[in-house]
Amino acid sequence: MARRTPLVIGHRGAPGYRPEHSRSSYDLALEFGVDAVEPDIVVSADGVLVVRHENEISGTTDVADRIEFKNRRTTKTVDGAELTGWFAEDFTWDELSTLRCRERLPKLRTTSASFDDAQPVLRLRDVLDIVRAASLAQGREIGVVLEIKHATYFASIGWDVAELIDAELREAGWEAGQLPLIIESFESTVLYALQERGIPAAYVYLLEAAGRPFDLFAAHGKAAPTYRATAKPAGLDGLVGRVDGISVDKRMILAPDKLGRLTGPSPIVRDAHERGLRVFTWTCRPENNFLIGQFRGRGGAAAFGDWESEWGVIRDAGVDGVFVDHPDLGVAFFSS
């Protein structure tokens, strides 16, 4: 059987080189030739879709150093976890637009951290416009993989995230399928709500290696299915006709044992393909810090280990898409 060539998706842009979700992170990913980029979205106090991986924003912006926002620090429970910090939903977009992006892992990615405080936070609209412009400039279709964060939580404070996304895509001219769009979430209910609104996209259900989806847990408690159960054949059967694919933690494919040794790949890709479901995986990173045990090398957490061998297992499992932090490496490796 011929080897699949998976989509290479710039995970939050190119965060191996620039602060995640910054303009330069996206620009670099597009320059490297990714098939798509992945913005995560949260909601501001005035209903703007803001590109951040979490709604608690102190780890990736300069908000904690801004004297004028000192009194916004608070503690909240989000998806069942108690968090203390500064939250996007407590700021208007005008306020958020004054914040500057910072590297999430400054000790690990020191080069990226050298770009701290130089670039503003982006909206979803900004990323859509960046991708459209790059598609025109490069003469090729470039997609967006839109990840919805904390939909149930935002619903609890009055925001219908599906409605906000629907309006934004229509206003931005992305609702008619002119460029590839994939919408993903760890919560299936928001995916189904967008399907009902008729947004033409591929819908992908994100699966963690452990735990339960918060939307179903909020509705059913411990009777809600676990992600692990959903990844089994019977669980995948329930997704057929509801979503186009799944996106899984790479450990669910690599299946390392307790010592970090590879015992797989697991059958999840085969099982999903047998049911007509596409399979994406996250996140392919070359640093020792992120590789499973047997592929780590010398030089410490930030040094590159034997990433080619780990990525080779993922590629050979037949995945349909990979999320990468270093798009130049991802494009070269998975497209060869």
Side-chain angles (χ1 to χ4, degrees), residues 103 105-111 287-290 300-303:
E103 169 56 42
L105 304 167
K107 294 182 179 179
L108 190 73
R109 292 176 169 170
T110 56
T111 299
E287 296 106 332
N288 284 322
N289 189 69
F290 303 111

Side-chain angles (χ1 to χ4, degrees), residues 84-328:
T84 298
W86 289 259
F87 295 82
E89 64 270 21
D90 294 333
F91 295 79
T92 65
W93 167 245
D94 284 347
E95 291 173 324
L96 290 170
S97 69
T98 70
L99 300 179
R100 294 298 179 262
C101 299
R102 286 185 175 175
E103 169 56 42
R104 174 188 299 277
L105 304 167
K107 294 182 179 179
L108 190 73
R109 292 176 169 170
T110 56
T111 299
S112 177
S114 71
F115 293 89
D116 281 359
D117 300 340
Q119 302 165 81
V121 171
L122 301 175
R123 303 165 297 176
L124 175 59
R125 174 66 62 87
D126 299 321
V127 176
L128 296 176
D129 290 345
I130 289 167
V131 173
R132 179 186 284 114
S135 295
L136 290 171
Q138 297 182 23
R140 64 188 182 97
E141 287 191 342
I142 305 171
V144 165
V145 180
L146 173 59
E147 182 175 345
I148 303 166
K149 310 297 290 193
H150 312 304
T152 298
Y153 167 77
F154 282 114
S156 75
I157 59 173
W159 292 113
D160 183 333
V161 177
E163 180 179 3
L164 294 175
I165 292 171
D166 187 4
E168 184 78 334
L169 291 173
R170 294 182 189 281
E171 290 174 12
W174 272 72
E175 85 291 352
Q178 298 98 329
L179 289 171
L181 176 64
I182 297 171
I183 302 177
E184 62 178 11
S185 178
F186 288 102
E187 301 180 58
S188 58
T189 51
V190 70
L191 296 180
Y192 301 155
L194 279 165
Q195 290 172 344
E196 291 172 0
R197 289 177 170 272
I199 298 297
Y203 288 87
V204 172
Y205 191 26
L206 285 157
L207 301 179
E208 294 268 19
R212 289 180 170 85
F214 187 72
D215 57 335
L216 300 184
F217 180 76
H220 306 293
K222 291 185 178 180
T226 64
Y227 286 121
R228 189 176 297 275
T230 303
K232 299 293 185 182
L236 295 173
D237 286 340
L239 298 180
V240 175
R242 300 304 308 271
V243 296
D244 299 289
I246 57 174
S247 186
V248 301
D249 185 325
K250 69 176 184 179
R251 292 175 296 168
M252 298 170 73
I253 296 172
L254 296 169
D257 62 20
K258 292 180 180 180
L259 298 177
R261 306 292 298 185
L262 183 64
T263 60
S266 76
I268 188 171
V269 178
R270 181 199 66 208
D271 291 343
H273 283 166
E274 287 176 350
R275 290 158 176 80
L277 297 169
R278 300 163 71 186
V279 181
F280 297 75
T281 192
W282 42 274
T283 302
C284 289
R285 297 167 167 134
E287 296 106 332
N288 284 322
N289 189 69
F290 303 111
L291 299 173
I292 66 170
Q294 75 186 79
F295 298 126
R296 293 173 187 159
R298 297 180 179 179
F304 287 11
D306 185 11
W307 56 272
E308 295 101 328
S309 292
E310 182 179 283
W311 293 13
V313 176
I314 291 169
R315 177 196 58 203
D316 294 344
V319 296
D320 301 281
V322 292
F323 292 84
V324 298
D325 279 7
H326 297 72
D328 54 337

Side-chain angles (χ1 to χ4, degrees), residues 43-63:
V43 185
S44 73
D46 47 350
V48 175
L49 296 175
V50 181
V51 178
R52 290 287 96 190
H53 185 258
E54 298 96 9
N55 58 329
E56 200 292 292
I57 57 176
S58 64
T60 58
T61 75
D62 63 345
V63 67

